[in-house]
Amino acid sequence: MLEGFTLFAGPCVVEDDDLNLTVARAVLAAGRDVGIPVVFKASFEKANRSRLSSHRGPGLSRGLDRLATVRRETGLPILTDIHEPDQAGPAAEVADVLQIPAFLCRQTALLLAAGATGKAVNVKKGQWMSAGAMAGAVEKVRAGGSGQVFVTERGTSFGYSDLVVDMRNFSRIREATGAPVIFDGTHSVQQPGGGGDGSTGGTPQHIGALVRGAVAAGCDGLFVEVHPCPASAPSDGSNMLPLDALPDLLSDVAGIRTAIASR
C-alpha cells in the first residue's frame, strides 16, 4: 500500500532499457533529495493516440519485461496503464499500481478487472467528467476488490484544444469519492488536436505554475511525465517536463508543503 504524498514520474511510454533506467534513477534521486516517495510510471501501450501512425509502445509482453527490469534494477514501485480487462492480470504481475486512462474511466468491466487484481488503482478523471461523477468509477474499482484507489485530476476540456484545471476539484473529488487526489501536471497542459496537423500539442511552460498551484490547493500527490529530451520522445513530447527540470520543481513542491504544514 502506498502512503502519503507520492510522485508518479517517468516517460509517457516504455522505451529501451537504457532510457527507462536513466529516467528511473533520476526521478528516484530527485524524490529522495526532498523526501518524496516515487513510483516509476510508463505505459507499455498507448491505445488512445490521435493518429493511426502515432507510436503506441512495445506492447504488453515486451513492455512488461522492460518495466520488470526497472523494478529489479532500482527497487522502484511501478505504475502502468491498462486498456482492456484481460490486460489487468498480466500487468498486475509486474506493476504495483494499475492506471485507468481518462478516456476509459467509465468502462465498468475494465474498472472491475483492475480492482479484482487487489493492486492499487489510479483512475484518471475523464476530461468531460465532473468531480462528483468520479464517485461511480471509484465505486466500481472498490467493488472489484481493490483496497486502494486514487483519482487523478488532469484538466477539463471545453472544446477549444485546451484543458482547464479547476483547483477546487482536489477537495471536491476527495469529498465525493473518499479517495486521495493526484494532480497530473503534464497532461493538464496538453492541447488536444492543437498540434497543427490534428495531433496533440502542449504548453509545457505552464507545468510548474500548475503543479505549484495544485500542491497549494491540497493535492495528495503528483503525476509528471519526464524525459531527457522531450523533443525526441515517441509520445507526448509536446507536454513533457525536461528531466533535468524535475529537481527544482520538487524543491518548490517541498517548500510549499512545508509552508502549508506549518500554518
Side-chain angles (χ1 to χ4, degrees):
M1 299 288 282
L2 303 177
E3 296 183 5
F5 192 94
T6 301
L7 171 68
F8 301 86
C12 178
V13 67
V14 173
E15 298 188 37
D16 60 48
D17 286 339
D18 286 345
L19 185 286
N20 298 334
L21 289 170
T22 293
V23 174
R25 288 167 177 148
V27 298
L28 175 60
R32 279 178 173 168
D33 285 346
V34 294
I36 296 176
V38 176
V39 174
F40 180 80
K41 67 78 45 192
S43 302
F44 57 78
E45 181 179 19
K46 301 297 292 185
N48 300 315
R49 300 309 309 275
S50 300
R51 299 284 183 174
L52 181 62
S53 59
S54 297
H55 180 78
R56 293 183 60 179
L60 180 66
S61 179
R62 186 180 302 174
L64 291 178
D65 284 346
R66 292 178 182 176
L67 289 171
T69 296
V70 171
R71 186 176 186 180
R72 183 176 63 251
E73 295 296 323
T74 68
L76 281 170
I78 300 295
L79 174 148
T80 197
D81 299 90
I82 58 171
H83 301 87
E84 300 173 6
D86 61 4
Q87 293 177 340
E93 294 180 8
V94 173
D96 302 271
V97 185
L98 301 182
Q99 180 164 277
I100 308 299
F103 284 126
L104 301 176
C105 70
R106 292 185 62 179
Q107 298 296 103
T108 300
L110 181 63
L111 293 163
L112 288 171
T117 66
K119 293 298 181 81
V121 178
N122 182 38
V123 185
K124 291 285 195 78
K125 181 180 77 65
Q127 298 92 323
W128 68 96
M129 297 280 283
S130 69
M134 289 304 295
V138 171
E139 178 186 33
K140 293 173 185 178
V141 176
R142 288 176 175 152
S146 176
Q148 187 170 36
V149 188
F150 306 93
V151 176
T152 291
E153 168 63 59
R154 48 83 36 89
T156 301
S157 176
F158 289 91
Y160 296 98
S161 295
D162 228 337
L163 297 168
V164 176
V165 179
D166 186 340
M167 294 292 169
R168 298 172 296 179
N169 275 350
F170 301 110
S171 58
R172 285 175 165 177
I173 294 172
R174 193 182 299 113
E175 290 168 2
T177 67
V181 185
I182 312 301
F183 176 58
D184 184 340
T186 44
H187 287 96
S188 290
V189 300
Q190 277 186 339
Q191 293 180 313
D197 60 353
S199 62
T200 296
T203 55
Q205 66 269 27
H206 299 304
I207 293 171
L210 288 175
V211 164
R212 290 188 289 268
V215 174
C219 68
D220 299 298
L222 293 172
F223 180 104
V224 182
E225 289 188 341
V226 292
H227 198 279
C229 182
S232 67
S235 176
D236 281 0
S238 61
N239 56 262
M240 279 187 173
L241 182 74
L243 183 59
D244 60 8
L246 183 62
D248 285 346
L249 180 58
L250 291 186
S251 179
D252 289 347
V253 167
I256 294 168
R257 295 189 68 236
T258 297
I260 291 171
S262 65
R263 288 186 304 181

